[in-house]
Amino acid sequence: MTDHQAPFVKTPTSAPGPGQADAGKANQGAGTEGPTQSSWAERAAQASPAMAQWFTLKEQVPDTLLLFRMGDFYELFYEDAHTAATALDIALTARGKHSDSPIPMCGVPFHSVDAYLRRLIQRGFRVALAEQTEKPSKGRKGPLPRSIVRILTPGTLTEDELLESARPNLLMALAPPPAHVQGQGGEWGVAWMDFSTGTVDVQSTTALGLDELLGRLKPAEIIIHDREALPAAWRPYAQAPDGGARGRRSALNAARARTTMAQAWHVHDAASLGAVTDNQAIACAMMLDYARMSQAGTLPRLAPPVVHREGHAMGLDSATRASLDLLEGRDGSTANTLFEALDNTLTAGGGRLLAERIANPLTYLATIQQRQRDWAWLAENDNLAEQVRAHLKGLPDASRALGRIASNRALPRDLAAIRDTLAALMALHVLLGRAPQTPWAAPEPALAARLASLHAMLAQALAEELPARATEDGVIASGFDVELDRLRTLRDDSQQAIMTMQAGLAERYGAPRLRVRHHSQLGHVIEVPAREGERLRAHPELHIRQGTANLARFSNQALDELNSTLAEAAELSTEREQGLVQKLVEAIMALEALPALIQNMAALDVAQSCAALARTGRWCIPELTEDASFDLRQCRHPVVERAMEGQRAKGGGGAPFTPNSCALPPTERVMLLTGPNMAGKSTFLRQNALAIIMAQAGLPVPALSARIGLVDRLFSRVGSADDLARGQSTFMVEMTETAALLNQAGPRSFVIVDELGRGTAPLDGLALARASLEALHDSIRARTIFATHFHALANLTAELPAMRPWAMKVREWEGQLVFQHEVAPGVAGRSWGIHVARLAGVPAPILERAQALLNQMQARRKPARTPHQPEHPPATWQAQGVGASDLFTNQATLSPTAESSRTGRTASGVKEASEMPPQASSVAEGGSLNPLAKPTFTLTLPTENASADTAPALRAFLKNPDPDSLSPRQAHALLYELGDLLKKPQ
Ligand code: ADP
Ligand code: MG
């Protein structure tokens, strides 16, 4: 039996994960206090009738919070009640008894349930809603029948209140490769859908690609048998295919899966949906089954599945995505992201499409160029673009409205959303149909006529002011339907009849304070003060209905008749109105072209958003090619630039962003970038990576010009990123990511590496950095920008002919460091650490002391050394590459002058880079040393005032110094102790 044929088994409960802190608990179901599985039926038999219903329903959804409708409340019982009371911070009470113990209970009012659902969903719970399926009626005995009408899970939501408007909300299913090819490049079947808009996508991927795909799509929920097969970060999103309900479905094989697909799309044979592999079909069917289960057996209308061929998407793994802040930053917000810098969309659908494109750059030239054409012509027709914007502005979220309409969950405002969208569509067709070279051709006349008639129907049918819920009266405008108007008149005109009746009764019984009033349970009644009530009791034609201390309520035959006429009219008018609403829903659903038209409008929105950027004149249409070229002129980092502009706008001053060019022709495809901290290295690296993403997403690029050979995979690696949250040592993370890069990158890839090897001892770090650089240059042959603090790597130009050293320009001016943020050929002479420390506000005495120590150390290293007389550098000051040269024993030890003359390629750049003060290169270049000899710490520390208990760790370290055994964190701590010592008066 292959894996996917295994019977559905509940996977272990999820570990609490990001945003899912409490979900683990929900998955325990009724838990300890509630009935165990074996006793469900037994318990139900002993319970009160309503509780018996609850037991029966709970058995269907043991791992889901069951919200059980009781009148105006949804109630939760047993462990569900405990969980929800804690999660929602509401009171836990008890309701009746079961087997002599009180039943724990909590409840939320039905009219505000959305807010509670939102909180539960956000905390990762699944929630089932059990509703009364019949209306209360007279003479009915026992509880109303109830059933589960919906299971809300993170991936199957449709409500705007529960969704983020700027992101798709995806449900994904994964079918693993057959067991015998697992781990050998076997392919996973992947299917995903956006339930809120009804789109479905199918693809295959290898295990390696799976991580990339997950990072790209960020599904809200993942259906998978074996959650352990997922990368750890995604396990909290995993859900068993049966959603925890037991024994509901039999095994799924490819044939059954294809049948499921055929049924979902109402086709005879799944083959007509496109060629899907067995695994793709199984993933798709798993997803459809799960979606259907969540909707209590029905599926909304779905767009036909889009089957993605591999090789059309650029590879971007999760480490790369995380380091580039494409759609969200590390804090999860969209502030300072690429999306934010690019987004000028006006509609929710446009925003989602733009996000999707940024997250999913292509490698397919034709599609990229089509997207470019779509906005380029708009950028040239500014007047037209403005008109387009006027039509798009303020439009409702039509895709999601349509999604709710398709899942029979339409709100009145969803119908209005379609009405307004149709109006905008028709106007845009008129506008763009006349425009030259428009990619948005007006539709066929027949379709155009259908759009117009649907719009007219909705415009006439919908009332001006719509109620919030579809079940409320007043959705349909008066004047639209004669019969509805008649029923409403009957219902409403009774007011006059009642007033007449009231006057008559008051006179007849001599009771001026008599009123005919409507009472929620009794219907219309005669109401008099209690004193008069005594007198009225004497009239046999009046039946007393209720007496309180203050009031007496009566009815008579005429009122009873009135009540039933009114109730009937109200019921009939509601029924009539619901029927009309249903007709509108059907008319909307019958227009099958609508989803595609709405999607087109989202694409138009993205196009105008791009055109708005291009209009500023500082963004270009990138030229994409099939070769390995890379040539950006005057490129900028859109996010950093925007942040700097924002600051200037606020009066914060500061210089404008400095553009930088970057050319990596095949003969110079590896750029080695050095420069002091804060000089702009990381910014430069990322701006090149972002330019590639923007270009291949079909978007404009913030540069004077850009020529980019299609990149198949983009890698961004940042040394020693702190990832304590994931519980991995920073260096381990760095190396894991580096390993993935070295295994996957190829000659069509683009790699940016920022400070590789920072997380370990300097010699290890340098060795690893050099080995990686060699691999990138020699065997991987990717276009590479390698920013490093190991300046000595620049000495490798002889061995690595396609590598060129570049440096960030800096100047020293009146003892201050000036960053020019300009990239020029050359090598940074020194690291300027003390200058940066000054900028950061380290107190002056410490800076002076550090400078003195630095001078001392440099003086000590001045005497000439031979390789056989190693001198050891001060261990904690090694960070900038001291000790590097041993790895380059084939190179002569470089003097600062030798270095700058060797790299003297272009006049201007070298001049700047080599205009460093005399001590500039001395720290960086160091002498030659023997890494095998145990280094000794040669710093003289101010010990006079230090008692035995100061700096204990530093002292312990100095007794037996072994810098290579220190973690970066330990080294840090030692530095702090050293700093404290320096601060003490001497
Ligand atoms: P590094 O990686 O060399 O330490 P960063 O790239 O982190 O330097 O840049 C440090 C700061 O310098 C940025 O936050 C930004 O404010 C500024 N900066 C970087 N590049 C530029 C540029 N091209 N033009 C203007 N300012 C820049
Ligand atoms: Mg940096």
Side-chain angles (χ1 to χ4, degrees):
M1 191 191 266
T2 60
D3 206 349
H4 52 255
Q5 286 167 328
F8 286 82
V9 185
K10 173 81 183 87
T11 51
T13 56
S14 64
Q20 306 214 347
D22 302 323
K25 205 164 174 220
N27 290 348
Q28 289 162 11
T32 46
E33 187 183 340
T36 57
Q37 256 240 290
S38 56
S39 65
W40 289 113
E42 214 172 287
R43 296 292 180 112
Q46 301 163 6
S48 68
M51 279 316 287
Q53 271 187 3
W54 183 86
F55 282 117
T56 317
L57 295 179
K58 184 69 198 177
E59 187 178 9
Q60 295 172 22
V61 288
D63 299 319
T64 302
L65 294 176
L66 178 59
L67 266 62
F68 190 73
R69 180 73 175 268
M70 297 281 236
D72 286 344
F73 281 83
Y74 286 103
E75 297 186 348
L76 296 99
F77 302 105
Y78 290 109
E79 188 64 20
D80 282 0
H82 284 286
T83 310
T86 313
L88 298 172
D89 196 17
I90 54 177
L92 182 70
T93 57
R95 171 187 225 277
K97 286 194 171 178
H98 182 71
S99 308
D100 286 339
S101 39
I103 303 171
M105 188 274 278
C106 69
V108 297
F110 121 93
H111 58 81
S112 57
V113 70
D114 284 349
Y116 292 104
L117 287 177
R118 183 191 172 88
R119 277 156 70 188
L120 290 173
I121 296 289
Q122 273 172 351
R123 301 184 74 163
F125 293 102
R126 294 154 39 89
V127 182
L129 293 181
E131 297 283 0
Q132 288 152 196
T133 47
E134 270 176 39
K135 289 207 176 126
S137 60
K138 268 187 208 151
R140 189 192 162 85
K141 288 242 159 55
L144 292 166
R146 290 181 178 82
S147 61
I148 293 176
V149 296
R150 174 138 183 241
I151 302 174
L152 290 98
T153 76
T156 57
L157 303 173
T158 55
E159 288 80 354
D160 282 338
E161 295 74 22
L162 304 177
L163 292 167
E164 225 188 298
S165 75
R167 299 282 173 272
N169 195 65
L170 301 180
L171 172 69
M172 178 187 271
L174 293 173
H180 64 279
V181 288
Q182 267 173 29
Q184 305 165 27
E187 297 217 313
W188 288 75
V190 191
W192 66 95
M193 69 191 287
D194 187 340
F195 208 92
S196 66
T197 57
T199 58
V200 176
D201 298 80
V202 178
Q203 197 185 318
S204 292
T205 180
T206 58
L208 274 178
L210 185 59
D211 183 49
E212 267 177 24
L213 196 65
L214 288 165
R216 165 152 75 87
L217 298 171
K218 285 189 171 267
E221 195 172 9
I222 303 168
I223 314 302
I224 186 170
H225 282 289
D226 175 15
R227 82 172 60 216
E228 297 305 312
L230 281 175
W234 293 102
R235 282 177 209 154
Y237 301 91
Q239 181 62 58
D242 59 357
R246 290 164 178 89
R248 288 235 302 236
R249 230 164 284 126
S250 55
L252 191 59
N253 58 31
R256 279 185 58 100
R258 289 202 159 81
T259 311
T260 304
M261 286 179 75
Q263 283 165 353
W265 280 283
H266 311 288
V267 294
H268 177 65
D269 184 347
S272 54
L273 296 167
V276 294
T277 66
D278 284 2
N279 261 357
Q280 288 174 346
I282 289 169
C284 192
M286 261 160 71
M287 178 180 78
L288 293 171
D289 280 343
Y290 187 85
R292 183 181 287 116
M293 175 183 73
S294 76
Q295 308 301 303
T298 57
L299 268 180
R301 184 178 70 188
L302 300 170
V306 177
V307 184
H308 297 270
R309 310 268 160 261
E310 266 190 296
H312 282 193
M314 182 203 285
L316 282 170
D317 60 19
S318 23
T320 301
R321 280 173 199 280
S323 82
L324 293 177
D325 297 336
L326 299 180
L327 301 183
E328 51 186 47
R330 251 146 254 225
D331 57 355
S333 81
T334 56
N336 297 322
T337 58
L338 181 62
F339 175 80
E340 192 193 56
L342 296 179
D343 181 28
N344 287 308
T345 59
L346 299 164
T347 64
R352 285 195 298 269
L353 185 61
L354 177 64
E356 201 181 306
R357 290 193 179 169
I358 292 173
N360 187 18
L362 305 175
T363 54
Y364 190 55
L365 203 53
T367 312
I368 298 172
Q369 288 170 341
Q370 180 58 50
R371 288 183 187 174
Q372 290 181 340
R373 283 195 292 276
D374 285 358
W375 56 261
W377 76 276
L378 258 187
E380 283 160 16
N381 287 281
D382 207 29
N383 192 9
L384 198 63
E386 273 312 312
Q387 285 174 279
V388 166
R389 284 179 197 121
H391 287 302
L392 293 175
K393 206 169 262 166
L395 278 188
D397 192 342
S399 300
R400 289 210 167 143
L402 197 58
R404 282 186 292 273
I405 293 171
S407 24
N408 248 331
R409 209 168 283 142
L411 300 172
R413 66 176 145 87
D414 293 331
L415 303 176
I418 300 301
R419 174 196 63 198
D420 299 345
T421 301
L422 285 167
L425 265 174
M426 294 189 304
L428 286 168
H429 287 153
V430 172
L431 183 68
L432 299 178
R434 285 201 305 253
Q437 319 149 3
T438 162
W440 283 276
E444 300 285 301
L447 178 56
R450 289 185 65 198
L451 293 181
S453 81
L454 179 60
H455 174 260
M457 178 176 178
L458 287 168
Q460 282 164 23
L462 294 175
E464 206 158 302
E465 298 241 337
L466 292 169
R469 292 170 185 276
T471 45
E472 285 170 59
D473 293 336
V475 180
I476 302 291
S478 59
F480 178 69
D481 181 69
V482 181
E483 175 63 8
L484 178 63
D485 289 349
R486 189 185 70 80
L487 292 167
R488 279 181 177 166
T489 315
L490 203 62
R491 181 192 68 187
D492 300 339
D493 283 3
S494 56
Q495 208 49 41
Q496 194 50 49
I498 288 165
M499 296 318 287
T500 319
M501 187 185 279
Q502 177 174 302
L505 289 168
E507 195 184 321
R508 172 147 148 223
Y509 296 115
R513 292 168 71 188
L514 177 150
R515 297 282 178 273
V516 173
R517 286 226 164 95
H518 188 260
H519 184 271
S520 59
Q521 266 128 50
L522 306 176
H524 285 91
V525 288
I526 298 167
E527 206 173 272
V528 290
R531 244 179 315 114
E532 298 188 27
E534 287 308 315
R535 192 160 55 76
L536 261 59
R537 277 172 201 253
H539 295 275
E541 74 278 15
L542 293 180
H543 315 296
I544 179 85
R545 300 293 305 273
Q546 208 174 43
T548 70
N550 303 322
L551 293 170
R553 293 185 172 124
F554 298 89
S555 62
N556 65 10
Q557 198 184 347
L559 267 183
D560 287 345
E561 277 164 20
L562 177 71
N563 276 334
S564 64
T565 319
L566 289 183
E568 205 176 316
E571 203 167 299
L572 285 175
S573 95
T574 303
E575 218 169 84
R576 179 80 191 167
E577 182 157 9
Q578 296 296 316
L580 291 168
V581 169
Q582 194 52 37
K583 283 225 171 69
L584 295 179
V585 165
E586 280 160 20
I588 292 171
M589 295 302 292
L591 191 60
E592 281 176 2
L594 196 53
L597 289 170
I598 291 173
Q599 195 56 24
N600 250 351
M601 200 152 75
L604 180 62
D605 192 9
V606 172
Q608 72 73 23
S609 169
C610 293
L613 286 178
R615 275 297 295 172
T616 63
R618 308 181 61 224
W619 295 64
C620 69
I621 305 177
E623 180 194 352
L624 289 151
T625 61
E626 298 278 5
D627 57 17
S629 47
F630 190 80
D631 191 358
L632 303 184
R633 301 274 161 85
Q634 303 281 308
C635 183
R636 307 179 313 275
H637 189 302
V639 182
V640 175
E641 178 182 42
R642 201 178 127 97
M644 289 171 66
E645 273 168 7
Q647 242 161 29
R648 276 209 309 283
K650 272 192 238 146
F657 189 89
T658 312
N660 270 303
S661 300
C662 180
L664 302 174
T667 49
E668 303 178 12
R669 63 175 183 273
V670 178
M671 175 187 234
L672 186 83
L673 182 65
T674 51
N677 280 322
M678 290 300 288
K681 296 183 299 300
S682 303
T683 307
F684 176 73
L685 290 182
R686 284 174 177 73
Q687 87 185 21
N688 288 297
L690 293 177
I692 295 170
I693 289 183
M694 288 181 267
Q696 294 191 208
L699 306 170
V701 168
L704 200 63
S705 71
R707 181 182 157 87
I708 298 175
L710 286 172
V711 169
D712 67 349
R713 281 160 182 269
L714 175 68
F715 292 91
S716 167
R717 289 299 181 265
V718 183
S720 62
D722 252 314
D723 202 352
L724 296 175
R726 266 196 344 200
Q728 296 196 37
S729 103
T730 57
F731 184 61
M732 183 65 191
V733 173
E734 186 182 331
M735 284 301 117
T736 310
E737 293 177 2
T738 305
L741 149 68
L742 296 171
N743 285 325
Q744 293 170 48
R748 300 303 305 267
S749 306
F750 197 100
V751 177
I752 61 174
V753 178
D754 200 357
E755 312 267 20
L756 179 76
R758 189 148 240 187
T760 182
L763 282 185
D764 292 13
L766 174 58
L768 285 164
R770 173 172 174 174
S772 307
L773 183 63
E774 284 172 353
L776 283 162
H777 179 280
D778 297 343
S779 50
I780 296 172
R781 305 174 75 82
R783 286 159 285 179
T784 302
I785 311 180
F786 200 97
T788 185
H789 55 287
F790 297 121
H791 300 179
L793 288 174
N795 301 342
L796 292 172
T797 37
E799 287 97 322
L800 307 176
M803 180 187 87
R804 292 286 176 278
W806 295 72
M808 302 303 303
K809 282 210 262 184
V810 283
R811 271 189 303 142
E812 197 169 8
W813 188 69
E814 294 186 350
Q816 295 282 326
L817 185 62
V818 181
F819 298 121
Q820 292 172 284
H821 302 123
E822 221 179 296
V823 179
V827 190
R830 63 176 212 196
S831 71
W832 303 86
I834 293 175
H835 280 82
V836 175
R838 175 175 298 126
L839 288 181
V842 173
I846 297 178
L847 292 173
E848 279 158 28
R849 176 67 180 148
Q851 187 63 54
L853 288 169
L854 183 62
N855 294 345
Q856 258 179 41
M857 291 184 293
Q858 284 165 349
R860 200 171 312 223
R861 289 170 47 207
K862 282 263 156 68
R865 279 163 274 132
T866 70
H868 306 291
Q869 289 176 307
E871 184 192 285
H872 307 297
T876 44
W877 296 94
Q878 280 188 346
Q880 297 302 328
V882 176
S885 305
D886 274 285
L887 289 159
F888 304 101
T889 42
N890 52 347
Q891 305 252 323
T893 303
L894 287 165
S895 71
T897 29
E899 174 166 312
S900 45
S901 60
R902 185 175 59 78
T903 55
R905 302 199 316 149
T906 11
S908 72
V910 168
K911 200 141 184 288
E912 292 286 345
S914 56
E915 256 172 18
M916 309 288 184
Q919 80 272 30
S921 302
S922 48
V923 177
E925 274 80 50
S928 56
L929 350 126
N930 176 359
L932 299 176
K934 201 157 189 104
T936 50
F937 201 93
T938 53
L939 253 186
T940 346
L941 290 167
T943 51
E944 299 91 307
N945 294 329
S947 65
D949 59 346
T950 53
L954 189 58
R955 273 162 202 291
F957 174 77
L958 290 179
K959 282 212 180 93
N960 189 10
D962 180 8
D964 291 353
S965 70
L966 293 178
S967 73
R969 191 162 279 267
Q970 287 167 323
H972 227 113
L974 291 181
L975 266 179
Y976 274 116
E977 287 194 352
L978 181 61
D980 287 346
L981 276 184
L982 294 178
K983 260 186 249 168
K984 282 194 200 301
Q986 298 185 15

